[in-house]
Amino acid sequence: MSAQPTEATSPSLPLRLLRSPLGRIVAFFITMIALRVIAGRVYDGLGLPRGNLSFDQVTPLIEALRLTPVVLAYWLLVRTIEHRRVDELAARKAVPHALLGIAGGAFVFSLVVGTLWALGAYAVDGVNRDVHWLGPILVMGVGAGVGEEIISRGVIFRIVEEGLGTWAALLLSAAVFGGLHIWNPNATAWSALAIALEAGLLFGLLYHVTRSLWVCMGAHAAWNVAQGPFYGIPVSGFEQHGLLASRMQGPDWLTGGAFGAEASVVALGLCSVATAGCLAIAVRRGSLLAPSWRRKRVAVT
C-alpha cells in the first residue's frame, strides 16, 4: 500500500519570527556576541595580550580569534536558520572572486592617489624600507575586509534587501557602514558621510551584481592595504607608516585631512563613478528588488 499524503504544516509563530529578516539579523548578532565571549575565554587562556594593540602586535592567531565569531555566526545563520548553502562564500569562488576584488580595489584607490598627485595634493619624499607588513595586512586587510563585509553586506544588506528591497538595503547598510567609522580617530561627520556614500553604496551594489562576498572582501582589503601599508596614507583615521614616505598638502576637503583620502572629494567622486557603473549593470539586468509586499502583490495579479 502506498503511504497517504500528508498536509504540509505551516511553521510555528516563533519559527516564522526567527526566519523573518529582522529575526535573522537579531539572531546573527546574538550568536556573534555569544561566540565572542567564548573566543575571549580562549584568548585569555592562551595568554594573548589584551587592550588596544598596535598593528605590529597583531598576529595571525589573534586576528583569527577576532574573526572566528563573525564567520561562524554567519555560517550558522545561513545553514541552520536559512537552510541553504553559503553560496556567497563558496570555496570554488574564493580565489578568482577575491583576486578580482583585490585588483579592483587596488586599481580604484590608485586612481584616487594618482588624481591627488596630479592635483598636487599627494607627494612622495622617498621609500621606507622598515615597513611592517603583516600586522596592517591582518588588521586592515583581512580583518576589515572579512569582518565588515560579512556584517555590512552579508547580513544587513542581503537580508534587508529580501524584505525592504534593494534601495532600502543600500541606504541602510551604507548608513551603518559609515556610522561604524564615526568612532575612529580623527573622524568627523563628513568623514562618516563620505565613507557611507563612497564605500557603503559601492560595496552594496558590488555585492548585488556579483552575489559574492569574496569580491567585496577582496576590494575592501585591497583598498585599505593600498592606502596605508603601500601609499602611506592614514586609513580611516589611523596613521600609517607605508612603503612610500608620503605627505598630503592642501585643504582637508581635497586631501581628506587626518582621516585619510577616504574623506577626500576625489575619492567620493571616483567611487561614485564606480557605483554608477554597478547600478547601470543592475538596471540593465532588471535585478533591483522592490519591497517584498510589492513583489507579492505583483505575483498575485
Side-chain angles (χ1 to χ4, degrees):
M1 292 179 62
S2 60
Q4 294 295 322
T6 58
E7 293 185 4
T9 58
S10 61
S12 63
L13 178 60
L15 188 56
R16 291 202 304 272
L17 291 175
L18 178 62
R19 291 176 178 173
S20 69
L22 180 58
R24 282 179 283 153
I25 292 174
V26 171
F28 167 80
F29 281 105
I30 291 176
T31 304
M32 182 182 70
I33 292 170
L35 290 172
R36 278 183 172 173
V37 173
I38 297 173
R41 298 290 180 85
V42 175
Y43 193 100
D44 291 338
L46 294 173
L48 298 173
R50 282 284 191 177
N52 294 322
L53 305 181
S54 66
F55 292 138
D56 295 343
Q57 292 178 288
V58 177
T59 65
L61 177 59
I62 290 175
E63 195 59 39
L65 286 172
R66 288 175 175 178
L67 283 177
T68 296
V70 181
V71 176
L72 185 54
Y74 189 72
W75 185 86
L76 288 171
L77 168 71
V78 175
R79 296 296 293 164
T80 65
I81 298 179
E82 298 180 348
H83 296 293
R84 64 177 182 85
R85 294 180 301 179
V86 194
D87 292 326
E88 60 274 27
L89 282 175
R92 69 182 186 281
K93 300 177 181 177
V95 173
H97 285 207
L99 289 178
L100 178 62
I102 289 170
F107 175 73
V108 172
F109 191 78
S110 294
L111 282 181
V112 172
V113 174
T115 303
L116 290 170
W117 173 80
L119 294 173
Y122 177 81
V124 177
D125 297 323
V127 176
N128 294 314
R129 303 189 183 280
D130 59 343
V131 179
H132 298 283
W133 291 92
L134 181 60
I137 288 176
L138 287 173
V139 177
M140 296 182 297
V142 178
V146 174
E148 292 180 14
E149 289 309 308
I150 285 179
I151 293 173
S152 298
R153 259 57 67 177
V155 176
I156 297 176
F157 175 83
R158 180 180 64 82
I159 296 177
V160 171
E161 186 182 39
E162 289 181 22
L164 301 181
T166 305
W167 290 113
L170 279 173
L171 293 176
L172 182 59
S173 63
V176 170
F177 190 64
L180 289 174
H181 292 78
I182 194 65
W183 311 109
N184 287 20
N186 304 305
T188 63
W190 162 249
S191 67
L193 178 61
I195 288 282
L197 294 176
E198 71 193 26
L201 294 180
L202 174 58
F203 290 153
L205 278 168
L206 187 60
Y207 176 77
H208 176 84
V209 299
T210 64
R211 291 292 155 181
S212 171
L213 283 174
W214 293 117
V215 174
C216 298
M217 290 173 177
H220 192 154
W223 173 286
N224 285 355
V225 172
Q227 184 171 201
F230 187 78
Y231 288 113
I233 298 172
V235 178
S236 301
F238 292 95
E239 193 64 34
Q240 299 295 308
H241 180 71
L243 178 65
L244 300 182
S246 63
R247 54 187 166 84
M248 290 288 198
Q249 48 198 23
D252 286 354
W253 61 266
L254 178 61
T255 65
F259 189 79
E262 293 149 307
S264 166
V265 294
V266 172
L268 178 58
L270 289 174
C271 286
S272 295
V273 172
T275 299
C278 290
L279 180 59
I281 294 173
V283 170
R284 187 172 68 249
R285 290 177 177 174
S287 59
L288 296 174
L289 293 179
S292 59
W293 59 90
R294 286 179 55 190
R295 299 199 298 270
K296 290 177 182 177
R297 187 164 62 245
V298 171
V300 169
T301 58

